[in-house]
Amino acid sequence: MAGAAAVLAVALVAVLVARSGGDDAPPRYRPADRAFSVVLPAGWRAADAEELARTPSAPAAVLRRADRRGVVVIRKRPALARSSRSLTRDLTAHLRRRVKGLEPVGARTVPLASGPAYVYTFARPSAGTVQSIAVAPRRGGTYTIDAVASAGGRDAAAQIGTIVRSFDTPDPVPAS
């Protein structure tokens, strides 16, 4: 199981970095406030307003794959004042306290449709999952995109990569 999670983790990092080259424009999900949009691949559905209201963490969006091999949660948070180096250190420490068996896979800056995001990926072999957290600072706040794929779900990982890379918002990237 650990080997499968590691392979899936490497695959997820690869699809987050890769660019898609298709001409067909897949449907996009936009929340009611139109603050952002993401591609919604076939076989995925977005939680409706009622489901979101019942979710304790108050996400802006929850996208689920019908076969339950993938989920993406998007939140808007206050602006972060950290470098990617301190973010990696702080995320690793925070997650190790909360998640047993965490195996960091990689961290890098990835281009999204509306600007860069910092993506931290780790495997959870005991849970049979790989998870990525994308942090996209934008003026007025920071979007976080939490994505989880089941081990053995390479197609789900590829679709998650498409969703994350497609994140688009009219909020500009803050000046450095």
Side-chain angles (χ1 to χ4, degrees):
M1 182 62 86
V7 168
L8 185 61
V10 171
L12 185 57
V13 169
V15 296
L16 285 170
V17 173
R19 299 252 180 200
S20 61
D23 291 337
D24 296 333
R28 296 189 72 86
Y29 167 79
R30 289 174 178 78
D33 66 2
R34 318 278 290 168
F36 63 87
S37 71
V38 291
V39 164
L40 191 62
W44 287 73
R45 77 177 253 322
D48 61 28
E50 189 175 301
E51 290 173 288
L52 290 174
R54 289 191 312 260
T55 305
S57 63
V62 176
L63 310 174
R64 288 188 185 90
R65 203 169 120 130
D67 65 5
R68 305 175 80 64
R69 288 188 169 265
V71 65
V72 175
V73 179
I74 302 171
R75 294 177 182 86
K76 186 167 184 185
R77 302 176 182 268
L80 291 178
R82 293 187 170 130
S83 69
S84 59
R85 180 175 291 165
S86 67
L87 191 55
T88 300
R89 183 187 62 240
D90 294 349
L91 262 174
T92 301
H94 174 76
L95 290 169
R96 283 195 191 277
R97 286 191 299 271
R98 298 185 67 195
V99 179
K100 291 189 185 277
L102 171 94
E103 293 182 14
V105 173
R108 65 178 64 209
T109 300
V110 174
L112 306 183
S114 63
Y118 170 78
V119 178
Y120 181 86
T121 301
F122 59 94
R124 295 181 58 204
S126 62
T129 62
V130 64
Q131 186 166 345
S132 284
I133 301 169
V135 180
R138 300 298 182 260
R139 194 168 298 146
T142 297
Y143 288 91
T144 60
I145 307 167
D146 297 310
V148 181
S150 298
R154 283 186 93 125
D155 57 333
Q159 289 175 327
I160 286 170
T162 298
I163 292 167
V164 173
R165 283 190 321 275
S166 74
F167 179 81
D168 195 10
T169 180
D171 297 337
V173 176
S176 299

